Amino acid sequence: MPDTFRALRVEKDPEQFRCGFQELAPSDLPAGELLVRVSYSGVNYKDGLASIPNGAVVRRYPLIPGIDLAGTVVASSDSRFREGERVLATGYDLGVSRDGGFAQYARIPSAWAVPLPTGLTERQSMALGTAGLTAALAIDRLEANGLRPEQGPVLVTGATGGVGSIAIALLSQAGYTVEASTGKASEHDFLRALGASQILSREDVAPETVRPLEKQRWAGAIDPVGGRTLAFALSSLLYGGSVALVGLTGGGSFAGSVFPFILRAGNLLGIDSAYVDMPTRERLWGKLGAHPLPALEAQIAQEVAFDDLPAALATILRGGVRGRMVVRIGG
Ligand SMILES: NC(=O)c1ccc[n+]([C@@H]2O[C@H](COP(=O)([O-])OP(=O)(O)OC[C@H]3O[C@@H](n4cnc5c(N)ncnc54)[C@H](OP(=O)(O)O)[C@@H]3O)[C@@H](O)[C@H]2O)c1
C-alpha cells in the first residue's frame, strides 16, 4: 500500500462543515481484518445526505462517506479471504459511522465482505450496489409474503431512481406486469425499455387527498418514495397485497388508514438492506449475478470520475439521477 491515498472526507465542527478530497495515511483508516484497494463505488441517496451538513446520516466526523465499495483484498487477517480476492461490501456502518467506499483504500471487517459474485464484474456489482441489493430484497420479501406474477400488476414508485429502475428490471425479468410512477416525463422510454408496461406520474400516485380505500389496482408495490405515495399505494392494494417500503424521497411520514389492513388484508413490509443478514445477502447477490447484467448495466449505469463525485452527490439530492451512478476510483 502507498504511504498516502486519496479520499473524499466530510468534517464537521461547531464552526463549519467541509466535504472535500484529502490525502490520508493508512493509519487514518479504522481497524479491520481486510484492507481493500477500491476499484468502484456507487452514489446512493444516503451518500448525498452524508455530504451535506444536516443530512442526519453521518454518526461521527471526520468520515469517508460511501456505503458501497468493490475492490481487491490487499491484506487479510481472516483466512476466509486471501490477498488478490475480489470482494464487495454494502451497508452496515459503511459511510455512516465507519469510513466507507469513497477512497482508494478501505479497511473493513471481514464479516461485512461478500466475495464478488460469479457473473459480475466489480463495475457491474457497483452498478447494482445497495440499490440493487435493496430491490432484490424487496422482491424477496414480497414473494415470501405470497406475491406471484399471476396475482396482478406491481407498482414501482420513484421509478427512474436506483432502487426503482433495478426493481423494474428484476420484476419484469421474473414475469411480473410492472407499473411505474415517475416525476420525469422525459424518461418514459427508459422505463419501458426496463420492462414497465404502464407509466404513471408522481401526482397520479400521490393525490392531495388519499381515501381510506382507493380503487384496487396492485398486487404489490415497491416504494422508495414514502410520504403520501405510500398511503396511496396501501389504499390501492388488491386483497392480500403488500407494499415493500424502501425509502423516503417523497417524505418521512405518512397519514394512513387502518382500512387497507383490516378490510383488504394488506401488508406493509419494511425493507432494510444495510443490516440484512449475511446468508440472505449472499443468496441475493448470487441471484443478481445470475441475471443477464451486461444489458442492465448498459441501460442503468453512468460512470462518474472520482474527481466529479461531489457534483454527482449534489445531483442525487436533487432527484436528478436516472438509474445508477458508478464511481470509478481505481478500476
Ligand atoms: N431501506 C433500505 O435499505 C434502502 C436502501 C437503498 C435506498 N433506500 C432509500 O430509498 C430511497 C431511494 O433510494 P435510491 O438510491 O433509489 O435514490 P435515487 O436514485 O435518488 O432515486 C430516488 C427517486 O425518487 C424519486 N423522487 C425524488 N424526489 C422525490 C420527491 N420529492 N417526491 C417523489 N419522488 C421523488 C425520483 O424518481 P422519479 O423522478 O422517477 O420519480 C428519484 O429518482 C432513498 O430514500 C434511500 O435512502 C433505502
Side-chain angles (χ1 to χ4, degrees):
M1 180 177 186
D3 291 343
T4 64
F5 65 94
R6 194 158 185 247
L8 186 85
R9 197 146 83 143
V10 289
E11 295 178 325
K12 190 178 187 180
D13 56 44
E15 268 82 58
Q16 62 171 329
F17 175 87
R18 286 176 300 276
C19 174
F21 288 105
Q22 296 183 13
E23 286 294 321
L24 299 180
S27 57
D28 291 319
L29 289 174
E33 292 83 26
L34 302 185
L35 179 64
V36 178
R37 187 172 59 243
V38 179
S39 53
Y40 289 95
S41 183
V43 182
N44 294 280
Y45 190 77
K46 199 171 176 181
D47 300 320
L49 293 175
S51 73
I52 57 174
N54 300 312
V57 158
V58 174
R59 295 206 294 268
R60 69 144 184 87
Y61 294 94
L63 183 91
I64 301 170
I67 64 171
D68 292 349
L69 65 89
T72 304
V73 174
V74 292
S76 168
S77 59
D78 180 335
S79 57
R80 293 175 305 143
F81 293 91
R82 59 187 187 336
E83 214 176 291
E85 186 167 353
R86 291 179 306 158
V87 294
L88 65 84
T90 65
Y92 295 106
D93 298 343
L94 285 175
V96 173
S97 59
R98 188 183 168 101
D99 288 333
F102 294 163
Q104 289 170 317
Y105 287 86
R107 202 180 277 120
I108 61 171
S110 53
W112 297 358
V114 174
L116 193 71
T118 308
L120 292 184
T121 63
E122 288 156 75
R123 188 183 189 281
Q124 285 168 343
S125 76
M126 289 295 100
L128 293 166
T130 283
L133 178 64
T134 306
L137 181 60
I139 295 168
D140 195 61
R141 289 291 317 279
L142 287 167
E143 290 187 332
N145 218 50
L147 183 69
R148 297 290 178 271
E150 57 276 14
Q151 287 167 349
V154 177
L155 171 69
V156 177
T157 69
T160 66
V163 175
S165 57
I166 297 169
I168 293 170
L170 296 179
L171 283 166
S172 129
Q173 211 159 32
Y176 287 92
T177 301
V178 185
E179 300 190 5
S181 67
T182 181
K184 300 189 186 82
S186 56
E187 298 297 350
H188 289 196
D189 288 348
F190 168 69
L191 296 174
R192 286 190 202 287
L194 288 174
S197 58
Q198 191 175 337
I199 301 180
L200 305 158
S201 73
R202 265 189 211 171
E203 295 71 33
D204 289 338
V205 294
E208 284 296 326
T209 309
V210 177
R211 290 177 295 181
L213 292 172
E214 297 281 349
K215 182 179 163 216
Q216 296 186 51
R217 296 169 76 168
W218 297 296
I222 295 181
D223 181 26
V225 172
R228 218 159 51 220
T229 306
L230 171 61
F232 185 74
L234 281 168
S235 297
S236 308
L237 286 175
L238 293 169
Y239 191 88
S242 308
V243 176
L245 173 63
V246 169
L248 76 175
T249 54
S253 55
F254 74 104
S257 150
V258 298
F259 291 113
F261 303 102
I262 64 171
L263 295 182
R264 291 185 184 163
N267 304 284
L268 178 54
L269 310 176
I271 303 300
D272 173 42
S273 66
Y275 295 100
V276 67
D277 61 86
M278 188 48 86
T280 303
R281 203 176 276 258
E282 289 184 332
R283 176 171 60 80
L284 294 177
W285 275 113
K287 278 174 104 170
L288 288 167
H291 282 289
L293 272 163
L296 180 60
E297 183 192 19
Q299 278 173 306
I300 63 165
Q302 46 177 306
E303 189 164 307
V304 171
F306 199 13
D307 280 345
D308 297 331
L309 179 54
L313 291 165
T315 303
I316 201 161
L317 286 173
R318 285 198 306 273
V321 181
R322 185 184 99 164
R324 291 273 298 158
M325 293 189 286
V326 190
V327 193
R328 186 189 180 103
I329 293 183

